Amino acid sequence: EAGVAQSPRYKIIEKRQSVAFWCNPISGHATLYWYQQILGQGPKLLIQFQNNGVVDDSQLPKDRFSAERLKGVDSTLKIQPAKLEDSAVYLCASSPTLAASYNEQFFGPGTRLTVL
Amino acid sequence: ILNVEQSPQSLHVQEGDSTNFTCSFPSSNFYALHWYRWETAKSPEALFVMTLNGDEKKKGRISATLNTKEGYSYLYIKGSQPEDSATYLCALCSNDYKLSFGAGTTVTVRA
């Protein structure tokens, strides 16, 4: 079974530039998550999709971050414009259903973003 | 969002030695506790899911215990090997199935 795919793996941009990350979840997984992990902190949930609908985006900085999940499969996360404090690892995860194994999630390798 | 703390933040272990570290939380109002292992340049992978007070799980040389009454979980590595070097993340699954992560314990095993 193929795992969660993410690209790019690394990205370096200057502040005020835009950047986009892509995620392809495990086939058949209904729920998709984007997390932000800042160095020294635990992953923080940015947005959760159930199929192609948003379930929770309460911690997404909507003035600069946006995300979509077209057709309930792939997802993109965009930052526009980027700030220095956006430097982090952006993790995508998916799960088949929330109740399966108490929402055990399957993670991609992440995208490490550096904003200069 | 549930408050999850992990200690220590990092530790160095000599190959062959055993070690353990802690995940602590103030409330027992959650569905499950997850442990993930995150090796450098790889994806975090699930190690254990524990739900009941007194739960013990084991996978090879790695085991974990859960004490919901006193609010902690221990993860043990017996006879550490270089491939055990990773960041170990603890996460609580709340009643609405959200995961709240700790900051992790980074283990470095020295040959």
Side-chain angles (χ1 to χ4, degrees):
Chain A
E1 179 182 75
V4 176
Q6 287 189 248
S7 67
R9 294 292 308 274
Y10 305 91
K11 190 73 176 179
I12 300 175
I13 62 173
E14 295 191 350
K15 59 183 179 184
R16 291 188 289 273
Q17 286 187 322
S18 302
V19 65
F21 314 127
W22 173 82
C23 173
N24 180 238
I26 292 174
S27 177
H29 281 196
T31 311
L32 185 147
Y33 310 82
W34 283 101
Y35 289 89
Q36 179 193 57
Q37 197 231 2
I38 293 172
L39 188 64
Q41 301 179 20
K44 180 184 84 171
L45 179 67
L46 292 176
I47 188 166
Q48 175 184 344
F49 292 94
Q50 183 75 16
N51 297 309
N52 61 349
V54 175
V55 173
D56 183 356
D57 63 358
S58 58
Q59 296 197 82
L60 187 73
K62 298 179 186 64
D63 57 334
R64 298 182 301 105
F65 286 65
S66 64
E68 60 182 6
R69 189 183 185 196
L70 298 176
K71 301 180 181 178
V73 183
D74 293 5
S75 177
T76 55
L77 176 69
K78 297 179 181 178
I79 308 175
Q80 180 180 9
K83 293 185 176 181
L84 296 177
E85 59 261 35
D86 298 331
S87 294
V89 175
Y90 291 85
L91 288 165
C92 178
S94 67
S95 62
T97 65
L98 294 180
S101 297
Y102 296 92
N103 198 17
E104 177 182 332
Q105 297 178 16
F106 298 80
F107 285 85
T111 297
R112 182 175 297 277
L113 174 67
T114 302
V115 183
L116 302 175
Chain B
I1 298 174
L2 301 175
N3 188 27
V4 181
E5 294 193 1
Q6 292 187 247
S7 62
Q9 183 177 358
S10 64
L11 60 91
H12 290 78
V13 188
Q14 199 66 32
E15 182 177 358
D17 288 351
S18 297
T19 189
N20 65 82
F21 37 94
T22 309
C23 172
S24 58
F25 39 89
S27 168
S28 63
N29 188 25
F30 60 91
Y31 268 162
L33 184 143
H34 296 249
W35 280 102
Y36 285 86
R37 175 170 61 195
W38 191 2
E39 296 178 62
T40 302
K42 294 187 178 180
S43 305
E45 64 167 331
L47 284 175
F48 306 115
V49 180
M50 295 186 288
T51 58
L52 300 175
N53 185 45
D55 249 359
E56 292 187 20
K57 300 279 185 175
K58 187 175 181 181
K59 182 184 288 188
R61 294 178 292 96
I62 301 177
S63 60
T65 61
L66 176 63
N67 185 323
T68 59
K69 293 182 179 178
E70 297 188 23
Y72 66 82
S73 174
Y74 289 145
L75 192 136
Y76 301 88
I77 305 176
K78 182 178 178 182
S80 302
Q81 298 298 310
E83 59 263 31
D84 297 326
S85 296
T87 295
Y88 292 82
L89 294 170
C90 169
L92 292 184
C93 178
S94 57
N95 296 342
D96 60 356
Y97 294 105
K98 297 285 194 301
L99 294 189
S100 297
F101 284 87
T105 293
T106 299
V107 175
T108 304
V109 181
R110 296 177 290 207

